[in-house]
Amino acid sequence: MKVAFLLLVLAFAFAPAHGAEGPRGTGDLGLVVERATGSVLIVETTGNTALKRVEGLGDLSHASAVFGRDGRFAYVFGRDGGLTKLDLLEGRIDRRVVQAGNSIGGAISADGSLVAVANYEPGGVRVFDADTLDPIADIPSTELGDGKRARVVGLEDTTGDRFTFSLYDTGEVWTLDLADPAKPVVRRFEGVGDQPYDALVTPDGRWYLAGLFGEDGAVLLDLWDPKAAPRRILDGYGRGEAPLPVYKMPHLEGWAVAGDLVVLPAIGRHEVLLVDRRTWQEVGRVRVHGQPVFAVARPDGRQVWVNFAHPDNDVVQVIDLPTRSIVRTLEPGKAVLHLEFTPRGEEVWVSARDSNRVTVYDTETFETVAEIPAEAPSGIFLTARANRIGF
Amino acid sequence: MKVAFLLLVLAFAFAPAHGAEGPRGTGDLGLVVERATGSVLIVETTGNTALKRVEGLGDLSHASAVFGRDGRFAYVFGRDGGLTKLDLLEGRIDRRVVQAGNSIGGAISADGSLVAVANYEPGGVRVFDADTLDPIADIPSTELGDGKRARVVGLEDTTGDRFTFSLYDTGEVWTLDLADPAKPVVRRFEGVGDQPYDALVTPDGRWYLAGLFGEDGAVLLDLWDPKAAPRRILDGYGRGEAPLPVYKMPHLEGWAVAGDLVVLPAIGRHEVLLVDRRTWQEVGRVRVHGQPVFAVARPDGRQVWVNFAHPDNDVVQVIDLPTRSIVRTLEPGKAVLHLEFTPRGEEVWVSARDSNRVTVYDTETFETVAEIPAEAPSGIFLTARANRIGF
């Protein structure tokens, strides 16, 4: 491991600067979050290599990223409220602001002009100009008393200049329309359910689904119908009548949609739920190795790859969706935290934090294509996300 | 018009070369085919401008393009058998081969390493190394006698190193697997129907649908099932029992899939057909302004934009899919040939050949966002296609 890491360092040392290297496309670029060191690796998925490490991004535990529409800039959301605009081509921080005390991800508008951040402290959503990171709008969440406000989770971009998010502490879903950024239009839906903890938007931008941690179900909002209100769905999705201990909260995201199915990690149980996208009824469950954290569909929707909470987090399982069966169990390393498919799904990148490496698999043969040393890697994000709704 | 064009020429003259301009991303790049002059305009969709004209691409009538996975290179398929690798960042032809006498489009493998071209003369598919354009495989089609072979149409990439195409003259569908490029594996399905003329692959890479010109229907192949054979569907899709004159063949492409619906331009009739993607049964028709040529779904599937054959080709209509109604009729110019949405669908580019311009519309307000002068523009292709299956 140390030898491999030394080789990586040497590779960086000898990597030519952009000018010498000449122009390159951005369609195959991405980044790997190195959570312990506040750094990211800029990577490329054609040769499957790390191009450069960039440091100084602050506290990157639970960090995520979105991309500008030209694929050159990433916006990295740190846990400490830091919002960092990263230049993937020049391999440096372009701009950085610390916009809150505690944050949990963000989103970018369809035209790439607005970046929104979900904040815990102070609770609310702040919106920034994607070019300059100048503040555009500030949407405080519901007051809780003592100067505190509800924590914002599940912030998703949908279509146009619209965002949707949930308030964990007060059980609300809000939509935000910034067609005129000077006059944000907010719609508030109260009493949608107890403790919405994360959300996804379907790839068509129509359905916003938030999981509930405090009760046994989820909440769904039709964003295409201006008269629609959130409705409760999926009784039995949540922790159940006799809640199990939950070692790590599962995540919801747009990659969960696979053809007619939405694939959701159960909360606490060793199961993945299959939900019909037309009726929003549960149509099946697949028994898996542990408590699922991410259940990510390959872009063609034929497979779903699942990782797990401690103590089962050294394993990834592959579900074949047509047969709803586990077709492979892989061991990419210790503490597998995230996985990301290449845009057309022929390969997948898997991070193993405690093994200090990212493993790239061929999704058809399940063979290891590459191993890339990284410092305690967590989230992996590729530029193709810029072209998708709700990521 | 002449003034506008002069301004464009001046803009090109003063555009700085790449070195001076510095690095730029490729996620918002694309090209507009200028069919009469054998040139293409390199364009960008953030500021909605033309960056550079590149000449010398041969006969570009009915030309199309695919993109390498890094977004830097386009592969332009000319009618004259020319295959041109275009460097979008440097604004020049990187490589060019004339690989046949008469061609009709092509495709690129999921990993971006193989470019395949559908040929009329000599009939068959030729496959090239995406880096070098060196020949990799040659798949001659069925012999017709007199040294002639069947014309290949509807060539689509699916997943992995696989392609599927149809033989117009002999009514066949073939699949081609190039996992080992030295040993192409071809599966031939004969007697699938009379005169397959174009095809689409659903965005999941599962279903290959070819329209039939010689009879009243279409043919469908399940690419996920190795035992499946093509089956006849959609009686009534084709020219009908009393065929109408057809002024321009409609096109099929992956953008036709919108949620649960596949949207197909009728042949000869002033209608667009709505087909349920689960059952492959027709579930409705929408009456439109003329003989439809392209029926293209906005990436979120909420709208379908339709252009038309002569003499109705100065009009574009917008179908709102939830209500299945025409919500707008636009007149972008004379001889509207093609349209392409930005990756997340907030804008659409429309080419009007005989008005020598491309118009960019906001798809929510239908307002004109930009007009870009171009010489007899036809096809418009954006780099985000690189990230999609079956384009």
Side-chain angles (χ1 to χ4, degrees):
Chain A
M1 194 62 243
K2 278 185 178 167
V3 173
F5 193 70
L6 180 65
L7 286 174
L8 184 76
V9 171
L10 286 172
F12 287 159
F14 288 102
H18 171 84
E21 203 179 328
R24 68 155 292 138
T26 50
D28 59 347
L29 294 182
L31 61 87
V32 175
V33 172
E34 298 183 310
R35 52 185 283 147
T37 47
S39 55
V40 300
L41 283 183
I42 298 173
V43 298
E44 58 82 27
T45 64
T46 300
N48 292 326
T49 60
L51 298 172
K52 189 164 182 185
R53 170 172 289 124
V54 181
E55 297 180 321
L57 283 83
D59 179 358
L60 294 185
S61 51
H62 211 285
S64 62
V66 298
F67 295 91
R69 68 194 304 288
D70 67 354
R72 177 175 175 182
F73 296 103
Y75 301 88
V76 182
F77 308 102
R79 191 59 193 252
D80 56 0
L83 167 60
T84 307
K85 183 182 179 187
L86 184 69
D87 185 335
L88 299 175
L89 282 176
E90 300 210 319
R92 61 176 180 78
I93 292 172
D94 180 75
R95 278 176 174 76
R96 175 173 161 80
V97 295
V98 176
Q99 53 83 43
N102 192 333
S103 304
I104 193 78
I108 187 164
S109 62
D111 67 358
S113 67
L114 301 172
V115 175
V117 192
N119 289 326
Y120 277 10
E121 179 52 47
V125 170
R126 286 184 169 153
V127 183
F128 300 86
D129 180 294
D131 282 335
T132 62
L133 298 191
D134 289 339
I136 295 282
D138 187 5
I139 315 293
S141 63
T142 302
E143 286 190 57
L144 301 173
D146 294 332
K148 283 196 169 295
R149 293 182 180 274
R151 287 171 282 185
V152 171
V153 298
L155 171 62
E156 305 288 339
D157 44 70
T158 57
T159 51
D161 301 303
R162 285 181 283 268
F163 301 89
T164 304
F165 52 92
S166 297
L167 277 53
Y168 180 83
D169 301 294
T170 51
E172 298 176 64
V173 169
W174 290 17
T175 67
L176 167 63
D177 190 332
L178 288 165
D180 179 354
K183 293 178 188 167
V185 177
V186 177
R187 293 170 68 217
R188 297 173 173 82
F189 299 100
E190 298 175 7
V192 303
D194 196 23
Q195 296 175 328
Y197 72 92
D198 196 11
L200 66 87
V201 163
T202 53
D204 57 9
R206 176 166 189 173
W207 302 100
Y208 180 84
L209 182 152
L212 299 172
F213 191 68
E215 57 184 281
D216 210 21
V219 59
L220 182 74
L221 176 61
D222 181 352
L223 298 169
W224 286 9
D225 179 358
K227 293 176 187 162
R231 60 188 166 97
R232 172 66 186 275
I233 58 167
L234 291 177
D235 287 339
Y237 163 66
R239 298 182 70 186
E241 292 178 8
L244 298 163
V246 176
Y247 297 108
K248 185 176 169 71
M249 293 291 282
H251 282 257
L252 304 176
E253 56 173 307
W255 298 124
V257 178
D260 299 322
L261 296 174
V262 180
V263 183
L264 301 175
I267 301 178
R269 288 189 300 276
H270 293 197
E271 289 173 340
V272 165
L273 279 69
L274 306 179
V275 176
D276 188 304
R277 190 174 49 80
R278 290 196 193 190
T279 62
W280 296 101
Q281 299 287 314
E282 182 184 323
V283 292
R285 297 190 178 203
V286 179
R287 177 89 190 160
V288 290
H289 172 76
Q291 290 188 1
V293 176
F294 283 100
V296 184
R298 198 170 71 172
D300 67 354
R302 191 169 181 177
Q303 295 175 350
V304 172
W305 290 51
V306 187
N307 73 334
F308 303 99
H310 181 83
D312 299 311
N313 57 355
D314 54 350
V315 161
V316 165
Q317 286 191 310
V318 183
I319 301 171
D320 175 70
L321 266 195
T323 58
R324 300 184 184 181
S325 60
I326 305 282
V327 290
R328 193 62 66 116
T329 298
L330 299 164
E331 299 190 9
K334 294 175 192 163
V336 173
L337 291 192
H338 197 221
L339 41 98
E340 175 98 340
F341 288 91
T342 55
R344 285 175 61 181
E346 75 280 8
E347 292 176 356
V348 63
W349 287 50
V350 182
S351 61
R353 183 192 64 200
D354 295 349
S355 294
N356 291 307
R357 69 168 174 254
V358 171
T359 304
V360 183
Y361 292 99
D362 181 312
T363 63
E364 201 162 307
T365 64
F366 304 110
E367 284 171 12
T368 298
V369 176
E371 285 185 359
I372 298 158
E375 275 287 287
S378 55
I380 304 168
F381 303 92
L382 303 182
T383 55
R385 286 177 176 247
N387 295 328
R388 314 235 178 211
I389 297 166
F391 282 93
Chain B
M1 192 61 243
K2 277 185 180 169
V3 173
F5 192 70
L6 180 65
L7 286 174
L8 183 75
V9 170
L10 286 171
F12 286 160
F14 288 101
H18 170 84
E21 201 178 331
R24 68 156 292 140
T26 50
D28 59 348
L29 294 182
L31 61 87
V32 175
V33 172
E34 298 183 310
R35 51 185 283 146
T37 46
S39 54
V40 300
L41 283 182
I42 298 172
V43 299
E44 58 82 28
T45 65
T46 300
N48 292 326
T49 60
L51 298 173
K52 189 163 183 187
R53 171 172 289 125
V54 181
E55 298 180 321
L57 283 83
D59 179 358
L60 293 184
S61 51
H62 210 283
S64 62
V66 298
F67 295 91
R69 68 194 303 289
D70 66 355
R72 176 176 176 183
F73 296 103
Y75 301 88
V76 181
F77 307 102
R79 190 60 194 251
D80 56 1
L83 167 60
T84 306
K85 183 182 179 187
L86 184 70
D87 186 334
L88 299 174
L89 281 176
E90 300 210 319
R92 61 175 180 78
I93 292 172
D94 180 74
R95 278 177 175 76
R96 177 173 160 79
V97 295
V98 177
Q99 54 82 44
N102 191 332
S103 303
I104 193 78
I108 188 164
S109 61
D111 67 359
S113 67
L114 301 172
V115 175
V117 192
N119 289 325
Y120 277 10
E121 179 52 47
V125 170
R126 285 183 171 155
V127 183
F128 300 87
D129 180 295
D131 283 335
T132 62
L133 299 191
D134 289 339
I136 295 282
D138 186 5
I139 315 293
S141 64
T142 302
E143 286 190 56
L144 300 173
D146 294 332
K148 282 195 170 297
R149 292 181 181 277
R151 286 170 282 185
V152 172
V153 298
L155 172 62
E156 305 287 338
D157 45 70
T158 57
T159 51
D161 301 304
R162 285 180 284 268
F163 301 90
T164 304
F165 53 92
S166 297
L167 276 55
Y168 180 83
D169 300 295
T170 50
E172 297 176 64
V173 169
W174 290 17
T175 67
L176 168 62
D177 190 330
L178 288 165
D180 179 353
K183 291 178 188 167
V185 177
V186 177
R187 292 170 69 217
R188 298 173 172 82
F189 298 101
E190 299 176 6
V192 303
D194 197 23
Q195 296 175 328
Y197 72 92
D198 197 10
L200 66 86
V201 163
T202 52
D204 57 8
R206 176 166 190 174
W207 301 102
Y208 179 84
L209 182 151
L212 299 172
F213 191 68
E215 57 184 281
D216 210 20
V219 58
L220 183 74
L221 177 61
D222 181 352
L223 298 170
W224 286 9
D225 179 358
K227 292 176 187 161
R231 60 189 166 96
R232 173 66 187 276
I233 58 167
L234 292 177
D235 288 338
Y237 162 65
R239 298 182 70 186
E241 291 177 8
L244 297 163
V246 176
Y247 297 109
K248 185 176 168 71
M249 293 292 281
H251 283 256
L252 304 176
E253 56 172 309
W255 298 124
V257 177
D260 299 323
L261 295 174
V262 180
V263 184
L264 301 175
I267 300 178
R269 288 189 301 275
H270 294 198
E271 289 173 340
V272 165
L273 279 70
L274 306 179
V275 176
D276 188 304
R277 191 174 49 79
R278 291 196 193 190
T279 62
W280 297 101
Q281 300 285 315
E282 181 183 324
V283 292
R285 296 190 179 204
V286 179
R287 177 90 189 160
V288 291
H289 171 77
Q291 291 189 1
V293 177
F294 283 100
V296 184
R298 197 169 72 171
D300 67 353
R302 191 169 180 176
Q303 295 176 349
V304 172
W305 290 50
V306 187
N307 74 333
F308 302 99
H310 181 82
D312 298 311
N313 57 355
D314 55 349
V315 160
V316 165
Q317 287 191 311
V318 183
I319 301 171
D320 175 68
L321 266 195
T323 58
R324 300 184 184 182
S325 61
I326 305 283
V327 291
R328 193 63 65 116
T329 298
L330 299 163
E331 299 190 8
K334 294 174 191 163
V336 174
L337 291 192
H338 198 221
L339 41 97
E340 175 98 340
F341 288 90
T342 53
R344 285 174 61 180
E346 75 280 8
E347 292 177 356
V348 63
W349 288 50
V350 182
S351 61
R353 183 191 63 200
D354 296 348
S355 293
N356 292 307
R357 71 168 174 255
V358 171
T359 304
V360 183
Y361 292 98
D362 181 311
T363 64
E364 201 162 306
T365 64
F366 304 110
E367 285 171 13
T368 297
V369 176
E371 285 185 357
I372 298 157
E375 275 286 287
S378 55
I380 305 168
F381 304 91
L382 303 182
T383 55
R385 286 177 176 247
N387 294 328
R388 314 239 178 207
I389 297 166
F391 283 93

